[in-house]
Amino acid sequence: MTQKQLVLEDGTQFIGHGFGSDRETVGEIVFNTGMTGYQETISDPSYCGQIVTFTYPLIGNYGINRDDFETVDPAILGIVVKEHCEHPSNFRNEETLDSFLKAKGIPGIAGIDTRKLTKIIRRHGTMKATITSLDRSVDSVVESLKLTQLKRDQVRQVSTVKPYVVPGRGCRIVLVDFGMKHGILREFTKRKCHVTVVPYNTTAQEIERLKPDGIMLTNGPGDPKDVPEAIETIHELIGRIPIFGICLGHQLIALASGADTEKMKFGHRGLNQPVKDKHTGRTYITSQNHGYAVSAGSLSGTELELTQVSLNDASVEGLKHTIHPVFSVQYHPESSPGPEDTDNLFDEFLELIRSSQLKQKEEATCLNVLT
């Protein structure tokens, strides 16, 4: 196996062996604490622009199958593992992780002390990193990293280019794709919804012309402030159509409502994040993947109510508009991968749509009586 090196922006070097694609890669180094679900993680568009460290020590042991993808073309820039399994064993296995990464042009490095690497990220925060050959000196790599400007157009890279329809006979949903995981679409199709998927920069007027019953704002990569056109669109739509936001969609709702977001030190990426509901007192175990969060202090003076918080760091996990039919969560209720504690939120969204429609009919009836 070819030896490679992982070099961090602070000069830390890890030497391991390469697998997957042979190309060099540069991105933001992050870590994921999930014990399973590496296929869904690798194919999650929210990892666009990032090199992911898996803290679970053995990756690839159940191979790659046709059913667990979250997008057709992964946007992840590289993966870092302790041990890469070359001979997977699972009844659904169709190819090895190595062959899949080669086919998709994604480099990997194995034999890394991922515990040490994760501790560095937790202590110093996420930073730039590169997977490269041993031929390059650490000093030259670090100098190059410091001069490298990471791209900030991740949403544009992963969003659909043209609208498309997934037909159904139920509620008509416009799904704004900021980097949609297929799990979100599966939850709506399970409920027989008629879903129109539109690009991230679709205007409020274009969305309204589709006559949706509700709007879904999906997950996606990067800083929510890098998509100002989406913030403006959401601001225009609040109060007109019921809205449900997940992850990046949650952050965009906050910004559109006058709140603020901030970059986290190392983010939440894993399948076992505890979240407490402030109204019911219940705790849910959730799947999360985000490096930005809504600033709790910025909610004061807005029309947003804090509904859920992280039990790990008290960060904002859920919001609800106090006047209009709008709510959001920071985590992933579609659970791909992860626990299914919160998939009922899709049912709550459809119920919100129905109650909003009923209210509109009652208001229209009252208006007719008065006139």
Side-chain angles (χ1 to χ4, degrees):
M1 292 183 179
T2 304
Q3 279 198 314
K4 286 190 175 183
Q5 61 178 334
L6 170 71
V7 181
L8 309 187
E9 189 179 3
D10 67 357
T12 305
Q13 179 196 43
F14 295 88
I15 297 176
H17 60 268
F19 66 102
S21 172
D22 289 331
R23 72 179 182 85
E24 181 179 289
T25 189
V26 177
E28 181 184 43
I29 187 82
V30 300
F31 64 87
N32 182 291
T33 59
M35 295 178 66
T36 186
Y38 57 80
Q39 181 173 332
E40 295 94 327
T41 297
I42 291 169
S43 60
D44 181 350
S46 293
Y47 283 109
C48 179
Q50 296 177 328
I51 299 171
V52 177
T53 303
F54 289 97
T55 62
Y56 189 71
L58 179 61
I59 299 297
N61 55 320
Y62 54 85
I64 299 291
N65 67 77
R66 69 174 189 175
D67 299 323
D68 292 340
F69 291 109
E70 289 303 311
T71 191
V72 174
D73 291 310
I76 195 172
L77 291 182
I79 69 170
V80 180
V81 303
K82 169 64 176 173
E83 182 179 346
H84 157 236
C85 180
E86 299 181 64
H87 305 286
S89 177
N90 185 272
F91 73 97
R92 293 198 302 159
N93 173 50
E94 294 176 327
E95 68 173 316
T96 65
L97 175 61
D98 179 57
S99 66
F100 172 73
L101 294 180
K102 280 185 169 68
K104 295 298 182 179
I106 302 169
I109 186 169
I112 299 299
D113 185 345
T114 51
R115 181 184 294 271
K116 178 180 177 181
L117 175 56
T118 300
K119 285 183 175 180
I120 291 173
I121 298 171
R122 285 182 62 89
R123 187 179 309 117
H124 300 292
T126 56
M127 64 187 86
K128 288 179 283 188
T130 184
I131 299 174
T132 187
S133 71
L134 276 174
D135 297 335
R136 299 181 61 188
S137 70
V138 173
D139 289 342
S140 68
V141 172
V142 171
E143 183 178 356
S144 177
L145 281 174
K146 289 180 177 178
L147 295 174
T148 300
Q149 294 292 323
L150 298 180
K151 293 182 178 180
R152 299 184 66 92
D153 64 342
Q154 297 100 316
V155 170
R156 183 190 63 79
Q157 294 179 51
V158 296
S159 176
T160 185
V161 177
K162 294 182 178 180
Y164 61 91
V165 172
V166 181
R169 295 294 186 182
C171 285
R172 300 182 72 88
I173 305 297
V174 165
L175 187 152
V176 185
D177 178 14
F178 298 109
M180 174 193 67
K181 292 172 64 181
H182 287 172
I184 296 175
L185 197 55
R186 283 194 294 268
E187 291 298 326
F188 283 116
T189 56
K190 262 191 342 187
R191 292 162 174 82
K192 298 180 171 46
C193 294
H194 179 97
V195 183
T196 303
V197 182
V198 300
Y200 77 98
N201 56 356
T202 305
T203 66
Q205 291 72 31
E206 289 170 330
I207 290 174
E208 286 187 302
R209 287 188 64 83
L210 295 170
K211 306 297 182 184
D213 298 317
I215 299 170
M216 174 79 245
L217 306 176
T218 76
N219 64 292
D223 186 343
K225 294 176 182 177
D226 288 339
V227 279
E229 59 270 63
I231 298 170
E232 179 58 32
T233 293
I234 296 165
H235 179 74
E236 292 181 38
L237 291 170
I238 289 176
R240 300 184 185 181
I241 304 168
I243 300 175
F244 177 24
I246 291 175
C247 200
L248 184 67
H250 158 83
Q251 298 162 13
L252 290 169
I253 286 173
L255 291 171
S257 302
D260 198 10
T261 57
E262 57 192 0
K263 185 173 176 62
M264 307 174 79
K265 187 175 181 180
F266 49 82
H268 294 170
R269 298 176 181 87
L271 315 181
N272 59 349
Q273 300 282 333
V275 169
K276 183 174 182 178
D277 189 290
K278 292 175 68 65
H279 294 300
T280 66
R282 290 188 60 181
T283 296
Y284 302 96
I285 302 303
T286 67
S287 173
Q288 300 195 17
N289 172 21
H290 59 101
Y292 290 81
V294 176
S295 172
S298 71
L299 296 175
S300 178
T302 72
E303 294 173 338
L304 296 175
E305 174 188 354
L306 176 64
T307 58
Q308 297 179 332
V309 295
S310 167
L311 288 180
N312 284 339
D313 59 11
S315 59
V316 176
E317 293 287 351
L319 294 171
K320 178 182 178 182
H321 203 284
T322 57
I323 299 173
H324 303 299
V326 177
F327 76 103
S328 63
V329 292
Q330 180 61 78
Y331 50 86
H332 288 265
E334 79 282 357
S335 308
S336 300
E340 298 179 351
D341 291 26
T342 58
D343 64 353
N344 63 293
L345 290 178
F346 292 95
D347 296 313
E348 291 186 16
F349 179 44
L350 298 184
E351 181 56 38
L352 181 67
I353 290 172
R354 285 187 283 269
S355 62
S356 178
Q357 290 173 336
L358 181 61
K359 183 179 178 181
Q360 289 175 352
K361 288 179 181 178
E362 290 174 346
E363 290 175 348
T365 301
C366 291
L367 183 61
N368 289 335
V369 170
L370 291 172
T371 56

